[in-house]
Amino acid sequence: MSGAATLGQETIDVEGVLVDTRHWIDGRRVRSRTTFADLSPIDEAVLGHISAGGTAEVDAAVAAARRAFPAWRALSADERAHALERVADGIDARADELARVETRDNGSLLRSHRRSVMPRVGHNFRFFAQQVRTLMHPDREIRGHRERITYNPSGVTAVITPWNAPLMLATWRIGPALASGNTVVFKPPEWAPLTASLLADITSDAGLPPGVLNIVQGLGPDAGAALAGHRGIRRLSFTGSVPTAGKVAAAAAPNIVPLSLELGGKSPLVIFDDADFELAVSLAVEQFDNAGQVCLGAFRILVQDTLYNRFIEAVVDRARQLRQGDPRDESTDVSALVSRQHFQRVSGFVERARAEGASVVLGGGPNTELGGLYFRPTILTNVSPDSEIVTEEVFGPVLTVQTFGTEEQAIEMANDTRFGLAATLLTGEPERAERVSAALDAGTVWVNCFFVRDLGAPFGGNGHSGIGREGGVWSFDYYSDIKNTVFSPTGWNSEQKGSR
Ligand code: NAD
C-alpha cells in the first residue's frame, strides 16, 4: 500500500510530494478531530493541518504496538534485519523527496539534506540491521557453571524527538529499537512533522507488519505527555530540551520506564595559539550551520588571549561572507529559524546580552532584507562567564567569544557548564591534546576536527545534556532486557550435560 496515492483529501502536496496528514496506527491512517497548523520557516506559509493526537490515539497506538510485539520479537535477528534493510532501500529510493519535504518543513538547507542527512537516515536502519545479526556474547565458564548472556527485546519503545533534524534523529532511535525486537510508538515534532508521515508510507511499502511502527502526531503537552506517561511502554527515548526532559522523566517515573535522554548543550570550542589557524577559523564559522540549531554546536568559543585579535578579525570577515536565504537555493549557507516563537526566543537572548554590555561584532538581529524568520549570524564578545548568553543554550546562530591565558584556565572555562554533550579542542601539540582532551567533561570530544560521527561509537551527554549512551552495542544495551542464564554442570538426566 502506498500511502500517498490512495489518500485523497487528507493528503497535502509539499514540494511536489504527497504527504498524509493523519496518524499511522496499526498499519492504518487514523484521523483526529483536532488538528494543528504546520508552518514553513521559509515564508511562514501554512503547509497543512495535521491530525493532533492525545490520550485516545496514544492508547490505540500503544495497544497496537503491544499486539504486534510477540510476532516481531519472535522473528530471527536476520529476518528483522532484512525487514529493516527493505525500509532503508525505501528511504534511499525516496531520499530526494524526503529532502525536499524536510527542507520546506523545518527550513534546513536542501543541499545538506541531500548530501548528508537523508543518506544517514537510510544508514540508521542499515547499520543497526547489520549490528543485530552479529550481536552476541560468548558463553562464559564460571566456577564450573556455564553462563549465557542474551539480549531480549524489552517491549514497546516510545520515541519523542525535536524538529532540528526530525527524520535523522527519529530513525537513529527507531532503527535500533526495531532491530532489538521492540515495537515502537513515535511522536514526531509539531514544528516539523511531515517526513514522519512519509516514513510511515515507506515502512508500509517495505512490508513492516501493522503495529510494529506507529506514529502519533500532536503537541508535546498532549500526545507527548500521554506517551511518556503511558503504562504500556517499556523504553522511552527522548531527544529535546532540558525542561521538557524533566517533565518526561517525571511522567515515566511511576511506571519505572528506563529513559534515554539526549538533550541540549553549550559546547566549547577551545582554541590554543598553537592550533592550525585556518582550521580554527573555518570550524568557528561552521557553527552557523543549520542556523545554529544544532545540539552539538560549539557556540562557546574560548580562544587563547595571544590569538584573540587575529582570530576575531578573521572569523568576522569569513562569517560576513555567508549567504543567508532560502534553504532550497544551493548557494545558501544560513537559513531561517524554525518558528516565530523560536525566533523571538533567540532575539530575546541577544537583546538581553546586549543590554548587559556584550559587544556585537557581527549581526545581532533579524535580517531585515529577508524579513520573516531570518536571524543574522551573530558574534558577541565582552560576555561575562556567568551571563545567560554564556551559560544557556540559545539554539540559534549566535556565538560568544571569550579568552583564556593558560591551559588550566582553558579547561576550567570549558568545563564551567551544567551541560556536557561535546567539546572541541584545537591544538598543534599532541601532548597538550592528550592532557586537555582527557580533562574535558563531555560525551564526545573532538580534537582538531568537528562533527565526525559514526554509528558504532557511543553517543550521549553528561550532566544536563542527557542520560545514557546510544550507538553501536550501547543501543542494544538500552533497548534490550539483558538476561544472564546460568547452567549447572550437575543435575542432568543420563549423559546430557545441559543444552549446549
Ligand atoms: P522540546 O523539548 O521543546 O521538544 C522535543 C519534543 O518533546 C517534541 O516532540 C515535543 O512535542 C515534545 N514535548 C514537549 N512537551 C512535552 C511533554 N510535556 N511531554 C512529552 N513530550 C513533550 O525541544 P525542541 O525545541 O523541539 O528541540 C530543541 C532541543 O532539542 C534543544 O535543547 C536541543 O539541544 C535538543 N536536541 C538534542 C539532541 C541530542 O542528540 N542531544 C539532538 C537534537 C536536539
Side-chain angles (χ1 to χ4, degrees), residues 376-404:
R376 285 192 190 281
T378 294
I379 299 178
L380 303 173
T381 60
N382 288 326
V383 289
S384 74
D386 53 358
S387 62
E388 177 194 66
I389 198 73
V390 171
T391 56
E392 294 297 319
E393 183 185 46
V394 176
F395 221 55
V398 181
L399 305 182
T400 58
V401 186
Q402 298 166 269
T403 59
F404 64 85

Side-chain angles (χ1 to χ4, degrees), residues 72-401:
W72 182 248
R73 74 171 292 169
L75 293 180
S76 69
D78 197 47
E79 286 168 323
R80 283 201 301 272
H82 276 302
L84 297 187
E85 282 162 348
R86 286 196 301 275
V87 173
D89 290 344
I91 288 166
D92 291 350
R94 298 189 67 184
D96 200 69
E97 292 179 28
L98 291 166
R100 296 202 309 270
V101 171
E102 193 97 297
T103 289
R104 189 73 170 116
D105 205 14
N106 86 336
S108 298
L109 299 186
L110 182 58
R111 68 167 196 237
S112 306
H113 280 150
R114 280 184 170 146
R115 283 177 206 158
S116 54
V117 179
M118 293 311 160
R120 161 76 193 272
V121 170
H123 191 51
N124 282 342
F125 286 97
R126 211 165 259 126
F127 176 86
F128 289 106
Q130 189 49 35
Q131 283 268 305
V132 74
R133 285 193 174 101
T134 55
L135 189 67
M136 62 167 295
H137 261 280
D139 286 2
R140 302 191 320 152
E141 289 293 329
I142 176 106
R143 295 200 300 275
H145 293 58
R146 185 158 45 83
E147 225 174 44
R148 176 171 301 159
I149 294 158
T150 46
Y151 289 82
N152 295 317
S154 57
V156 177
T157 297
V159 175
I160 302 176
T161 51
W163 43 265
N164 61 319
L167 195 58
M168 194 278 283
L169 292 169
T171 52
W172 136 256
R173 297 347 236 309
I174 294 170
L178 294 180
S180 301
N182 297 350
T183 53
V184 169
V185 179
F186 164 39
K187 206 296 279 174
E190 54 269 53
W191 285 348
L194 299 184
T195 48
S197 181
L198 295 179
L199 179 66
D201 295 340
I202 289 168
T203 57
S204 174
D205 289 345
L208 212 63
V212 169
L213 171 66
N214 306 273
I215 299 174
V216 180
Q217 305 160 146
L219 307 183
D222 303 331
L227 182 56
H230 204 287
R231 295 181 63 164
I233 63 171
R234 286 312 314 146
R235 289 291 184 278
L236 172 52
S237 280
F238 173 82
T239 311
S241 65
V242 176
T244 309
K247 293 180 196 164
V248 162
N255 303 321
I256 321 293
V257 173
L259 295 164
S260 167
L261 301 179
E262 289 183 3
L263 312 178
K266 192 73 182 179
S267 300
L269 171 58
V270 183
I271 305 167
F272 285 91
D273 64 4
D274 55 22
D276 178 330
F277 187 73
E278 255 311 296
L279 180 68
V281 173
S282 62
L283 288 192
V285 174
E286 198 177 318
Q287 306 310 318
F288 292 118
D289 274 8
N290 210 17
Q293 301 166 122
V294 179
C295 59
L296 287 164
F299 302 109
R300 210 159 44 95
I301 298 184
L302 308 177
V303 60
Q304 197 150 19
D305 45 17
T306 42
L307 196 64
Y308 179 75
N309 290 337
R310 186 173 161 224
F311 174 78
I312 282 285
E313 197 180 321
V315 169
V316 169
D317 184 52
R318 187 78 61 84
R320 259 192 234 291
Q321 295 167 32
L322 293 171
R323 292 182 56 140
Q324 190 160 29
D326 190 316
R328 294 168 293 191
D329 183 339
E330 273 282 312
S331 65
T332 294
D333 300 307
V334 181
S335 177
L337 294 173
V338 70
S339 68
R340 177 65 50 189
Q341 192 183 326
H342 190 56
F343 182 89
Q344 281 160 354
R345 183 174 178 276
V346 171
S347 305
F349 272 112
V350 175
E351 278 161 27
R352 290 190 295 277
R354 206 198 287 259
E356 281 180 20
S359 307
V360 180
V361 294
L362 183 75
N367 186 327
T368 46
E369 285 160 33
L370 296 171
L373 304 179
Y374 294 83
F375 196 91
R376 285 192 190 281
T378 294
I379 299 178
L380 303 173
T381 60
N382 288 326
V383 289
S384 74
D386 53 358
S387 62
E388 177 194 66
I389 198 73
V390 171
T391 56
E392 294 297 319
E393 183 185 46
V394 176
F395 221 55
V398 181
L399 305 182
T400 58
V401 186

